Amino acid sequence: SYNLETKEVETLYEVSNHREALVSCVVHPINRLGIVASRDGTFSFHDFNTKSKALSCGQLEEDLILRSLDIHPDGLLVGFGASDGTVRIWGINEGYQVAVLPATGGIVKDIAFSQNGVHFASISENENVVRIWDLRNQENIKVILQEENDTELSALQFDSSGQYLAVGGNKLYMCSTKNWDMFSRVQSHSQRITSLSFGNLSRSFATVSMDRHLIVYSA
């Protein structure tokens, strides 16, 4: 955890129940729960308040490597980007995989659900584009940023209103979800953006990069 006031990093919770490197961690909408995915193909649920061991663990398929994850805003579905070029949807209540979507383009590097609960976005390793999906029909409805030809696209996040989508690559792109057009392009890092996040009420925004810098933007 990074404290913006003290500019210090503090370890609040440690995950150590996976055999290989962790690829992603998201916080459940009820805040105290976290979901972690690993390159060993497993994922686990954690209670950050109690700092206890994993509440439960799961695996989608043997020999399937997980590369990214996000949780649906209703807290009932988890999406995983996988090494076989698919997006896997896991039902938390059901306790099993409920859908498989062929994202194409190789390993799915990142996915992000919109707060409207309908759309999600994905980035794949061998494509320089962002794919927009309709979760209801499980269909790819739009491809964006293809004209940028950014070979380093790797990070996604929707803002809390669902009106904007941020995409990180060699540059930071901001897109409107009304028509999926890009309205802003910023290059603040010297290397690829690896992760990004909107702050509370989208009043701030943060990016981290392979250049080892954290940049915080204020509205």
Side-chain angles (χ1 to χ4, degrees), residues 113-147:
F113 286 105
S114 170
Q115 291 300 309
N116 66 17
V118 173
H119 299 117
F120 74 91
S122 69
I123 296 174
S124 296
E125 192 168 78
N126 299 329
E127 291 186 317
N128 306 329
V129 300
V130 176
R131 292 186 177 273
I132 308 299
W133 300 79
D134 187 319
L135 189 59
R136 298 166 299 186
N137 303 322
Q138 300 180 16
E139 292 180 346
N140 178 203
I141 60 171
K142 189 79 173 178
V143 177
I144 63 174
L145 296 186
Q146 60 264 48
E147 69 280 355

Side-chain angles (χ1 to χ4, degrees), residues 43-111:
F43 57 94
S44 55
F45 295 82
H46 300 261
D47 187 334
F48 292 149
N49 282 355
T50 64
K51 298 186 178 181
S52 60
K53 295 181 180 180
L55 300 175
S56 63
C57 298
Q59 185 173 22
L60 296 174
E61 286 183 15
E62 191 174 355
D63 299 326
L64 184 71
I65 299 173
L66 301 181
R67 286 293 300 270
S68 54
L69 80 96
D70 196 23
I71 188 164
H72 191 273
D74 68 7
L76 300 179
L77 298 173
V78 184
F80 296 95
S83 58
D84 64 349
T86 61
V87 173
R88 308 294 183 106
I89 307 297
W90 178 274
I92 293 180
N93 286 346
E94 293 84 352
Y96 56 79
Q97 182 174 275
V98 296
V100 179
L101 288 73
T104 72
I107 296 169
V108 180
K109 296 190 290 186
D110 200 14
I111 67 169

